[in-house]
Amino acid sequence: MGKKIFISGATGFQGSAMVKEVLSKGNTVTSVTSSEEKEVSTNTIEIIKGSFENKESIKKALKNVEAGVFTMPLLFDIEKAKEYTTNFVEAAKEEEIPLVVYNASFDLPSEKTGFLALDMKLEIKKILDASKLNVITLVPDLYIDNIAAPWSIPVLHEHSIVPYPIKPGKKLPWISHHDLAKHVSSAIEKPALAGEILPIRSGLFSGEEISEAIAEELGKPLNFVSVSPNDFEQQLVPSFGALAGKEISNLYRYVESNREALTQKSFLESQEKLGVTPESLKDWVKSVNWK
């Protein structure tokens, strides 16, 4: 018989991939959603109205759960992040959750960086560590699915370019949402790894290699275009606002400054511990609907 698993952000890009993978293993899923969205309850998934601002709704979603997958929603407010994490931790302790899988959602530095989004992660980790819950921390870096996002594909077709805010000719650790989900699902089955911080990736690719793989699938030439973090920020501001534009771009400024350290993390050791074989770049490209 499968387990009941809590997955935060179950309706988002990352969360929905986790839900699909966890359900494929014969488990059931529970989550919380904002009050504007519809509550859903089926034989395999239960989504309860609520949020991380409301501990009682989290407690309800954590009832009889055997593992909780915690990913912080995209926000740029340290106090809110601490509040949300504290509410989750208190609910998890009260419901006696045996295992928490924390998806750090990006690199987890060992000390403050001056970048809000990264320093938030340190505060979240401190709260989780102090909780004495059994926590496995998974640390991905760049999400290759961003290149295939609904707002990215039209640019690729109309201009025959793959623009991204990374340096040309430099390999970086990328992960697909599918591979993130596979690592999460595997961690749920390995409670003995509690206390470990595991870097995870699909592979090390340059922007040019990704562009070439997509071009081969589409049968048309594509050029990788390196966008500076400053230019990227200016592109984000109209849609996301000044603060989000700055902080999202800061992640890529951090990548520029820490590329060597990011590529040298113990990814293969994590794959061995979790028993995960990542998909190839070619397989990822084939899995995407490029229309």
Side-chain angles (χ1 to χ4, degrees):
M1 187 174 177
K3 299 177 179 179
K4 185 178 182 182
I5 309 298
F6 171 85
I7 298 177
S8 65
T11 57
F13 289 119
Q14 294 181 32
S16 59
M18 294 177 199
V19 168
K20 184 177 180 180
E21 184 68 21
V22 166
L23 291 179
S24 76
K25 303 299 182 184
N27 302 303
T28 59
V29 169
T30 180
S31 189
V32 292
T33 186
S34 65
S35 58
E36 303 87 49
E37 297 176 356
K38 292 183 179 179
E39 191 163 281
V40 176
S41 182
T42 69
N43 290 333
T44 56
I45 186 164
E46 180 183 18
I47 298 182
I48 293 162
K49 287 183 181 179
S51 72
F52 284 109
E53 293 179 321
N54 184 334
K55 189 180 81 172
E56 291 308 311
S57 65
I58 302 171
K59 279 189 65 177
K60 184 178 178 182
L62 290 175
K63 196 76 175 176
N64 300 320
V65 157
E66 294 181 62
V69 182
F70 180 65
T71 304
M72 179 58 60
L74 183 64
L75 56 84
F76 303 102
D77 183 324
I78 284 184
E79 293 309 312
K80 278 285 184 187
K82 290 163 67 174
E83 176 193 346
Y84 289 4
T85 307
T86 299
N87 285 344
F88 172 78
V89 162
E90 290 180 357
K93 291 173 74 171
E94 290 173 22
E95 293 299 324
E96 300 181 342
I97 304 306
L99 178 67
V100 171
V101 178
Y102 170 45
N103 167 31
S105 72
F106 191 72
D107 187 48
L108 186 64
S110 58
E111 57 187 22
K112 286 189 175 182
T113 63
F115 293 147
L116 177 59
L118 287 160
D119 293 347
M120 274 175 42
K121 297 182 188 304
L122 291 179
E123 295 299 323
I124 293 167
K125 188 65 168 63
K126 285 179 186 177
I127 294 170
L128 290 171
D129 288 346
S131 73
K132 305 303 181 184
L133 291 166
N134 295 316
V135 181
I136 301 172
T137 301
L138 301 182
V139 184
D141 293 298
L142 297 173
Y143 294 97
I144 198 166
D145 292 84
N146 288 346
I147 290 175
W151 53 86
S152 301
I153 291 178
V155 175
L156 182 153
H157 285 298
E158 291 169 20
H159 303 285
S160 297
I161 61 172
V162 180
Y164 211 77
I166 56 172
K167 291 286 190 182
K170 303 293 185 182
K171 290 181 182 287
L172 287 165
W174 297 82
I175 191 164
S176 66
H177 292 158
H178 181 217
D179 276 343
L180 172 63
K182 287 196 296 185
H183 284 86
V184 166
S185 180
S186 178
I188 289 168
E189 301 300 325
K190 295 179 167 55
L193 295 175
E196 297 214 28
I197 300 174
L198 303 173
I200 58 174
R201 65 162 169 82
S202 298
L204 295 173
F205 314 124
S206 67
E208 288 85 352
E209 287 172 325
I210 295 171
S211 299
E212 288 168 10
I214 299 171
E216 183 177 348
E217 175 68 15
L218 297 184
K220 60 179 286 185
L222 295 173
N223 292 315
F224 172 70
V225 175
S226 174
V227 180
S228 74
N230 289 343
D231 288 343
F232 187 61
E233 179 177 343
Q234 293 308 308
Q235 293 170 17
L236 292 178
V237 168
S239 299
F240 294 92
L243 177 61
K246 176 183 177 182
E247 294 303 331
I248 294 171
S249 300
N250 278 344
L251 298 177
Y252 296 100
R253 295 183 178 102
Y254 175 85
V255 167
E256 279 191 0
S257 303
N258 295 273
R259 186 188 67 82
E260 187 172 348
L262 293 177
T263 59
Q264 293 181 355
K265 291 192 289 188
S266 52
F267 297 109
L268 297 181
E269 184 179 337
S270 296
Q271 289 170 19
E272 185 174 343
K273 287 180 177 180
L274 290 167
V276 172
T277 301
E279 63 185 345
S280 68
L281 177 57
K282 185 174 182 178
D283 286 342
W284 172 76
V285 170
K286 287 188 173 297
S287 73
V288 174
N289 181 1
W290 295 102
K291 294 181 181 179

